[in-house]
Amino acid sequence: AQSVTQLGSHVSVSEGALVLLRCNYSSSVPPYLFWYVQYPNQGLQLLLKYTTGATLVKGINGFEAEFKKSETSFHLTKPSAHMSDAAEYFCAVREFTGGGNKLTFGTGTQLKVEL
Amino acid sequence: DAGVTQSPTHLIKTRGQHVTLRCSPISGHKSVSWYQQVLGQGPQFIFQYYEKEERGRGNFPDRFSARQFPNYSSELNVNALLLGDSALYLCASSLALAGGRETQYFGPGTRLLVL
């Protein structure tokens, strides 16, 4: 089975500072990887995804992630944090279930942005 | 276009009761998946339906069941509720199964509290 590990359940950065949220995956097949964001009392919104092709993926709100097969990582970055980025971030891997597919999520990283 | 909609938004039940949660996918989407998100954790896969057929089932007891209707909307049913069933239940829709590249779009969720 595939799995995702998110290092750091809580990350705090200053406004304007670099955001780095870590994600490592375990997969026996080439993975499809996703980052979702969840604001308080809301559902999940897709930030970006990697399926095939270019390993540096750009998403919404200035976020990007780089797929590194050798490191089994898919870390999320943003050059300059904004107060509105405060939310919970989930990394996920697509797993095939025979007749269908599902997302397997990490436990999430709560991002706090301070003035 | 409307996104994924779920009803109700909040629900309070007592142990042993039954609950039905409803989901309407994005127009044109034929696949619906259900996830359970317990407080402080990432979403866990419960079911996937495509063209009214079950295509995947997560590690949940038989108290959990679901179905998909001809208009592609879906219901999640949980019988004999336990305190541990308290969670945010998320519905996600995608256009098709398409080998797993399809993006899953999430609804706002139904927050269930079991007393």
Side-chain angles (χ1 to χ4, degrees):
Chain A
Q2 291 159 306
S3 64
V4 170
T5 301
Q6 291 184 242
L7 295 176
S9 59
H10 291 82
V11 170
S12 183
V13 300
S14 299
E15 191 174 34
L18 172 72
V19 175
L20 171 60
L21 304 182
R22 299 179 186 273
C23 173
N24 288 88
Y25 68 91
S26 171
S27 175
S28 58
V29 298
Y32 292 167
L33 296 161
F34 303 78
W35 275 100
Y36 282 86
V37 61
Q38 186 175 35
Y39 296 100
N41 300 313
Q42 294 187 26
L44 301 174
Q45 180 182 8
L46 180 70
L47 278 177
L48 48 82
K49 65 179 181 180
Y50 168 79
T51 53
T52 58
T55 56
L56 182 61
V57 180
K58 295 186 184 299
I60 62 171
N61 301 339
F63 284 93
E64 62 182 36
E66 186 171 11
F67 170 64
K68 292 186 177 180
K69 184 178 179 181
S70 61
E71 298 178 7
T72 61
S73 68
F74 190 57
H75 301 331
L76 182 70
T77 60
K78 182 175 180 178
S80 177
H82 191 271
M83 295 296 290
S84 61
D85 295 326
E88 188 149 27
Y89 292 79
F90 292 95
C91 182
V93 62
R94 177 67 52 81
E95 184 172 355
F96 296 94
T97 61
N101 58 79
K102 67 175 185 179
L103 291 172
T104 297
F105 287 88
T107 52
T109 297
Q110 187 72 44
L111 176 65
K112 182 178 180 181
V113 182
E114 300 175 316
L115 287 172
Chain B
D1 285 341
V4 178
T5 59
Q6 294 185 243
S7 64
T9 56
H10 295 80
L11 204 51
I12 299 175
K13 293 286 189 178
T14 56
R15 282 176 296 174
Q17 285 189 312
H18 163 271
V19 68
T20 297
L21 310 181
R22 296 177 175 83
C23 171
S24 292
I26 292 171
S27 178
H29 283 197
K30 297 182 178 180
S31 177
V32 169
S33 297
W34 287 94
Y35 292 81
Q36 181 196 63
Q37 185 179 17
V38 174
L39 194 63
Q41 297 182 21
Q44 297 288 319
F45 173 74
I46 309 176
F47 288 109
Q48 182 184 39
Y49 277 78
Y50 177 68
E51 289 282 16
K52 301 180 289 296
E53 290 187 5
E54 182 182 304
R55 294 301 190 100
R57 173 186 285 256
N59 188 25
F60 280 81
D62 292 343
R63 299 185 296 107
F64 288 76
S65 64
R67 55 180 176 168
Q68 187 177 33
F69 299 100
N71 67 352
Y72 303 110
S73 67
S74 178
E75 283 182 356
L76 175 70
N77 295 284
V78 186
N79 293 322
L81 285 166
L82 302 175
L83 296 180
D85 295 331
S86 296
L88 179 67
Y89 288 85
L90 295 164
C91 174
S93 78
S94 60
L95 196 59
L97 289 177
R101 295 190 182 194
E102 292 289 328
T103 296
Q104 292 192 11
Y105 295 91
F106 284 81
T110 293
R111 190 164 296 280
L112 172 65
L113 177 62
V114 182
L115 301 176

